[in-house]
């Protein structure tokens, strides 16, 4: 358990005190942002049916299955308690006026880069904001008892941010999951929402598994032409479902997809990934950039595509030599 | 928590009483069979360093990372306590002489079809035998305290049998996971062990993604002939890496793999899975059995294969009708 008693006491007394409570989360929300936001909304509304509990921010079509946002105006913030979930810095808060309430609370699991709010419940040790909201309910002494609806939202948030318990689950993560599956929820259905694919996408994955080139240097590559996208009826964005196939293949440390463009400038969009050496300097040298293990670039010709392959093979060979 | 106090008392008193304890599990072991067997071995050996704790059964190359089996002879069973994990019926126990010890204990999570043993700790509500072994340690009042090594084995067993918390995790499942990650283990490394594939396995997945038949009734099927196994250099056991591909495909509720056998009796080994209707009665009608959502059967002819398909389509159509 992460949250201090003092933080909980302040949180519950402010929830008790204010009749309007507005909950924000970050822009471009993922299921943990929405799950923590709407999960907390449902918990407070259930415990205090006479209060106005509002969710602020843009609605995202792909996540409407989780619930809807409310329409808000500046007036709503008068004498309101404002809670921000899953958002490390104020620039990323979705929605205006968040600083015009009576009190501001931050509930977040990211590394602390911006200490905002009158109360900050910020624990980078938590896998997700949804895990923290679950802990708040569990330790509320029935002031915010868990409900089935909140449980579905929070379970989705935890599953999304941990890659279904793959990324660094701790005892607290499983304690939260235990609380949530104690409610009447269909965990399989929630999880399936994240991984459901269409038949045509399954066929396209077949193409990828059959055609990825696995090079002895530990580099895997796949060329996706316009013709292939047409044959499989797959949009350029949707091609990324096959990007990480090589991540599980024995002996592969870096991999790349070359996606043919409509015109010639650039000729290929390049998606670079690694579980070994940093690859972002290669991306930077080819009109792109990104993270050490996940970058994007461009190749203006077949020659530039071959150059990128050569550079990837060099750094991967060097990386493998240092492993041994 | 599932196990009764009385069962625990008997178990611990017998572990205390016998100087030789031999642990078996089922033939063709999966990580839960090995995890529960070797996890229990490690726990008892740690608590009782002077006892002889032995693991019986054939060694399986693909699971040697979990540990090794011991060499056993008939004499070892004299005055020994024998414990069988993860095995519903005696025919499936791997290793001889299991019934020649002083006492026999069954610890299992399958539906009870064969009531064997002087003590039966059998809970189909548990996701895995490894979950039950974890509960035994947790409720042992420090008579069998958890260790890092046992924790790795048991976590592997739970992850394998639940498809990493996908198949029906309960509060008890997450309670067990919580106990295990409280030890010093690398959950990511354990999980990666399950997903690492060889290049030839990636190619075989390509074959499967391209050739699975997705039927409009919501049933997916794949026929894996001897010729295909030869072409891709894939053993019959290894074919199961493609079994669950349809689980994520939109509109599919049941799926089946028919694996051609060397001889004609049976002609096909049948692996049945579902995320909708129970399919074990179909398996039972065709020389097999198993869980509601995961069963195995046999088909002695192409006609019987078609019969199984027909039955699957019927129950899946009915299931879908009731969904709407």
């Amino acid at each position: 358990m992460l949250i201090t008693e003092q933080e909980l006491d302040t949180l519950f007394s402010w929830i008790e005190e204010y009749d309007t409570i507005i909950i924000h989360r970050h822009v471009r929300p993922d299921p943990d942002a929405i799950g923590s936001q709407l999960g907390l909304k449902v918990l407070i509304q259930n415990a205090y049916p006479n209060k106005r509990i509002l969710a602020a921010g843009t609605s995202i079509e792909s996540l409407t299955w989780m619930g809807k946002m409310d329409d808000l105006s500046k007036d709503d913030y008068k004498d309101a308690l404002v809670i921000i979930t899953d958002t490390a810095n104020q620039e990323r808060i979705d929605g205006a006026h968040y600083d015009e309430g009576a009190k501001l609370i931050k509930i977040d699991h990211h590394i602390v880069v911006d200490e905002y709010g009158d109360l900050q419940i910020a624990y980078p040790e938590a896998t997700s904001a949804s895990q923290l909201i679950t802990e708040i309910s569990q330790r509320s002494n029935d002031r915010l008892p868990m409900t089935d609806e909140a449980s579905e939202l929070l379970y989705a948030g935890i599953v999304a941010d941990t890659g279904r318990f793959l990324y660094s689950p701790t005892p607290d993560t499983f304690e939260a999951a235990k609380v949530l599956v104690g409610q009447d929820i269909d965990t399989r259905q929630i999880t399936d929402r994240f991984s459901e694919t269409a038949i045509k996408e399954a066929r396209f994955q077949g193409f990828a598994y059959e055609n990825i080139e696995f090079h002895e240097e530990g580099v895997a590559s796949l060329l996706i032409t316009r013709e292939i996208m047409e044959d499989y009826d797959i949009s350029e964005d949707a091609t990324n479902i096959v990007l990480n196939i090589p991540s599980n293949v024995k002996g592969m440390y870096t991999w790349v997809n070359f996606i043919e463009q409509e015109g010639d400038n650039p000729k290929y969009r390049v998606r670079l990934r690694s579980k070994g050496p940093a690859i972002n300097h290669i991306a930077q040298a080819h009109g792109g950039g990104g993270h050490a293990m996940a970058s994007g670039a461009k190749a203006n010709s077949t020659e530039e595509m071959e150059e990128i392959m050569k550079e990837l093979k060099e750094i991967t060979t060097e990386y493998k030599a240092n492993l041994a």
Side-chain angles (χ1 to χ4, degrees), chain A residues 10-299:
Chain A
T10 307
L11 172 68
F12 291 126
S13 72
W14 289 357
I15 288 174
E16 181 83 35
E17 181 177 345
Y18 292 93
D19 291 329
T20 299
I21 300 173
I22 304 173
I23 310 174
H24 289 245
R25 39 73 195 162
H26 63 75
V27 293
R28 292 174 158 237
D30 49 31
D32 185 40
I34 305 271
S36 59
Q37 176 192 35
L38 294 184
L40 182 59
K41 178 184 167 176
V42 166
L43 289 174
I44 302 175
Q45 194 70 78
N46 171 65
Y48 300 95
N50 296 323
K51 290 184 192 283
R52 279 177 77 217
I53 320 295
L54 302 164
T58 321
S59 286
I60 299 291
E61 203 180 340
S62 64
L63 295 174
T64 46
W65 59 273
M66 298 187 76
K68 287 184 180 158
M69 298 297 122
D70 296 299
D71 286 326
L72 284 154
S73 68
K74 188 178 164 66
D75 289 346
D76 293 315
Y77 288 81
K78 194 170 177 286
D79 283 327
L81 171 63
V82 181
I83 303 177
I84 318 283
T85 70
D86 198 36
T87 313
N89 46 348
Q90 294 173 78
E91 296 80 58
R92 294 198 73 224
I93 296 172
D94 192 2
H97 314 300
Y98 71 87
D99 55 354
E100 295 173 34
K103 285 277 191 310
L104 182 65
I105 301 177
K106 174 198 201 182
I107 303 178
D108 186 38
H109 73 114
H110 295 92
I111 293 166
V112 178
V113 290
D114 178 7
E115 297 197 351
Y116 68 85
D118 304 297
L119 170 66
Q120 299 174 44
I121 300 179
Y123 290 92
E125 309 94 304
T127 53
S128 51
S130 296
Q131 177 184 323
L132 292 172
I133 303 296
T134 307
E135 181 178 333
I136 287 167
S137 165
Q138 197 185 0
R139 296 179 59 199
S140 72
N141 290 326
D142 256 3
R143 283 172 291 187
L144 287 183
M146 188 52 66
T147 73
D148 294 347
E149 192 187 352
S151 192
E152 275 191 356
L153 290 159
L154 297 166
Y155 194 81
I158 293 174
V159 166
D161 260 26
T162 61
R164 204 174 79 238
F165 307 103
L166 188 58
Y167 312 127
S168 312
T170 67
D172 287 330
T173 314
F174 287 123
E175 174 64 29
K178 178 186 164 184
V179 167
L180 298 174
V181 300
Q183 298 294 124
D184 183 19
I185 64 170
D186 185 337
T187 57
R188 181 66 188 267
Q189 198 177 57
I190 296 167
T191 310
D192 281 348
R193 294 267 191 186
F194 297 104
S195 55
E196 197 171 75
T197 52
I199 290 173
K200 65 180 184 182
E201 291 171 329
R203 298 299 186 212
F204 178 65
Q205 285 177 278
F207 157 80
Y209 274 106
E210 298 254 31
N211 290 283
I212 289 168
E213 292 183 56
F214 299 104
H215 306 273
E216 59 180 2
E217 292 86 352
V219 185
S221 61
L222 181 66
L223 172 61
I224 303 171
T225 62
R226 305 305 302 176
E227 197 185 339
I228 286 294
M229 287 182 251
E230 273 168 37
D231 283 357
Y232 287 91
D233 187 21
I234 290 286
S235 71
E236 188 178 326
D237 274 351
T239 58
N240 69 16
I241 60 169
V242 302
L243 176 58
N244 283 317
I245 287 175
S247 69
N248 294 330
V249 175
K250 214 169 183 165
M252 296 297 127
Y253 296 94
T254 58
W255 53 98
V256 57
N257 279 187
F258 297 100
I259 300 111
E260 192 182 12
Q261 300 298 293
E262 296 270 15
D264 260 354
N265 193 12
K267 194 166 170 56
Y268 304 104
R269 188 168 149 197
V270 185
R271 297 189 181 116
L272 293 155
R273 295 292 183 275
S274 175
K275 61 176 182 184
I279 39 80
N280 48 341
H281 61 282
I282 295 179
Q284 281 155 16
H286 296 277
H291 302 279
M293 299 291 140
S295 288
K298 295 165 193 166

